[in-house]
Amino acid sequence: MAIKKVGFIGLGLIGGSIARAIRQYHPDCEILAFDKNKETLALAVQEGIIHTSCSSIDDNFRDCTYIFLCAPVSYNTAYLSQIKNHLSPDCILTDVGSVKTSIHKKVIALELEEYFIGGHPMAGSEKNGFINAKPHLIENAYYILTPTARVSEEKVNAYRDFVASLKALPIILDYEEHDYVTGAISHLPHIIAASLVNFVKEHDTREELMKMLAAGGFKDITRIASSSPVMWQQICLKNRENISRILGEFIRSLTDAKQAVDESAEGTLYSMFESSRDYRNSMPEGSAGPIKKQFAVYCDIIDEAGGIATIATILASNMVNIKNIGIIHNREFEEGVLRIEFYDEDASAKATELLKKHRYIVYEV
């Protein structure tokens, strides 16, 4: 299918990143967008990402090859009714939400199945909005497609090829299977991280020693607790049945672990840690899953004035952007005194090479 015209309803981080990728890989494609934020639309036009800024969902969207619903999950279902009368027969209607069942049910109720293929690019950032959108955000990230029962095979193949042309990795799943899988590998970890952080907060000593002494291991497994409360509230509400089921099964596994500790069951405890280690180590390093990977290096530095500044200067003078930098005071699970975090893998690799060249001892994550 020739990609002549693409419409966006919502132009935030994900929608904006997809639009930028389309502009990069399909420069002749016409792009239009509607967003409640007029400044976002003005910026997108100014940067040449979109051609047409829409003040409402209207007939501008007719004859689109693709229409992307990129608003929050709860809004996307509402926009379906508004876009229904502006769909041409060949149009592929899609979304980018991390929960699929609710929108699929709305699509069925509105008799839009022949148009709709759900989409979930498994990428993101702690930063929001079009201003932080990047064309490479979805590059090498899994992009799940959830076709309806009535959409044509031709449209499914076309969408899969389109996603691949944007350098993402398309995977086709049933929408209910998608919600169960992401419930376990994305939604459950966020709930665990939030619960663990709140547990430490509520059980800390008066002097907040837990907070002060929190090791790198604790910070790593709770990093995602810094995600948007609104987004995760909506995800829990929309994927309630799957999350409840998975939480119940996880609670049972915690009960089994508690019993093993209570009974000093050496064999059970060893097997639990051995099994988790082996399975975790079997996961591919390049996996582009739903929880964003961190890019960080650790290095040894001498405790002297200007030590961190020297490293920062070396990296800055070579155009390497630092996301975060700081001394690791509790190195129970880590090597190196200084931790430097970067925005992407290329920056991390370049920093490692530069620091080694300047004779720093570097430990890669």
Side-chain angles (χ1 to χ4, degrees):
M1 294 175 65
I3 305 160
K4 297 180 180 179
K5 184 178 178 182
V6 177
F8 286 85
I9 299 174
L11 203 63
L13 176 71
I14 300 298
S17 294
I18 295 173
R20 289 183 184 276
I22 294 172
R23 174 60 59 239
Q24 178 172 322
Y25 296 112
H26 301 276
D28 296 329
C29 176
E30 178 186 354
I31 303 177
L32 62 146
F34 162 78
D35 193 286
K36 290 184 175 180
N37 189 323
K38 305 306 178 188
E39 293 180 1
T40 289
L41 294 176
L43 180 60
V45 171
Q46 179 183 333
E47 294 187 1
I49 303 302
I50 67 173
H51 298 89
T52 306
S53 169
C54 302
S55 58
S56 63
I57 299 173
D58 54 27
D59 227 33
N60 279 303
F61 285 89
R62 192 171 297 279
D63 299 325
C64 280
T65 310
Y66 292 92
I67 296 177
F68 285 85
L69 297 168
C70 302
V73 174
S74 57
Y75 293 135
N76 282 339
T77 53
Y79 285 135
L80 285 172
S81 300
Q82 297 181 48
I83 199 66
K84 181 177 181 178
N85 295 326
H86 305 291
L87 301 174
S88 58
D90 293 333
C91 180
I92 293 174
L93 178 63
T94 186
D95 74 320
V96 297
S98 62
V99 180
K100 303 260 73 86
T101 301
S102 57
I103 196 165
H104 269 269
K105 288 183 176 179
K106 187 68 173 180
V107 163
I108 293 169
L110 292 173
E111 299 181 342
L112 292 172
E113 287 181 275
E114 64 186 276
Y115 303 98
F116 189 76
I117 303 173
H120 178 200
M122 302 182 91
S125 169
E126 69 278 8
K127 296 184 177 181
N128 298 315
F130 178 79
I131 194 171
N132 295 301
K134 300 177 178 64
H136 61 266
L137 186 73
I138 62 171
E139 186 174 322
N140 291 321
Y142 292 130
Y143 199 121
I144 297 179
L145 311 183
T146 60
T148 65
R150 293 179 56 193
V151 74
S152 70
E153 185 176 348
E154 179 187 9
K155 285 187 175 181
V156 175
N157 290 336
Y159 192 16
R160 182 186 58 208
D161 292 345
F162 182 45
V163 165
S165 76
L166 303 179
K167 309 304 180 185
L169 308 174
I171 295 177
I172 297 175
L173 290 179
D174 171 79
Y175 67 86
E176 292 179 329
E177 184 178 27
H178 166 277
D179 284 359
Y180 177 68
V181 169
T182 55
I185 63 171
S186 177
H187 306 167
L188 177 65
H190 279 83
I191 292 172
I192 292 171
S195 299
L196 182 54
V197 170
N198 286 331
F199 179 87
V200 168
K201 176 185 175 183
E202 292 164 7
H203 293 80
D204 206 348
T205 65
R206 183 177 300 176
E207 297 81 11
E208 294 190 328
L209 290 173
M210 292 183 186
K211 181 179 181 180
M212 184 179 75
L213 298 176
F218 178 85
K219 290 182 178 178
D220 283 346
I221 65 175
T222 59
R223 172 176 52 87
I224 52 179
S226 297
S227 301
S228 165
V230 173
M231 180 177 73
W232 284 101
Q233 175 202 52
Q234 291 297 309
I235 287 172
C236 287
L237 294 174
K238 293 295 183 180
N239 201 23
R240 178 174 55 85
E241 292 182 4
N242 278 311
I243 291 175
S244 178
R245 172 186 168 190
I246 293 166
L247 272 174
E249 293 169 355
F250 182 71
I251 289 169
R252 280 191 288 276
S253 71
L254 286 179
T255 301
D256 291 342
K258 179 180 183 302
Q259 182 178 349
V261 171
D262 290 344
E263 297 175 357
S264 298
E266 296 180 11
T268 302
L269 290 169
Y270 181 87
S271 295
M272 178 179 72
F273 292 115
E274 180 186 44
S275 173
S276 65
R277 178 202 63 189
D278 292 346
Y279 186 68
R280 173 64 176 79
N281 290 344
S282 73
M283 293 179 179
E285 286 298 323
S287 176
I291 297 177
K292 190 181 178 187
K293 180 180 177 181
Q294 282 188 311
F295 304 101
V297 298
Y298 296 79
C299 72
D300 290 331
I301 62 171
I302 299 173
D303 185 10
E304 61 182 11
I308 295 179
T310 300
I311 288 178
T313 301
I314 291 170
L315 299 179
S317 62
N318 286 275
M319 306 302 290
V320 177
N321 291 328
I322 296 173
K323 182 178 181 181
N324 205 351
I325 188 169
I327 297 292
I328 303 298
H329 295 290
N330 186 331
R331 295 185 287 278
E332 185 178 0
F333 299 103
E334 295 154 327
E335 295 180 291
V337 175
L338 185 71
R339 182 182 188 277
I340 315 167
E341 187 178 351
F342 305 93
Y343 287 99
D344 54 52
E345 190 169 9
D346 290 342
S348 180
K350 186 175 180 180
T352 299
E353 182 182 349
L354 285 167
L355 293 175
K356 287 181 176 179
K357 184 178 178 180
H358 285 79
R359 301 189 180 282
Y360 286 96
I361 297 175
V362 179
Y363 309 91
E364 300 177 63
V365 178

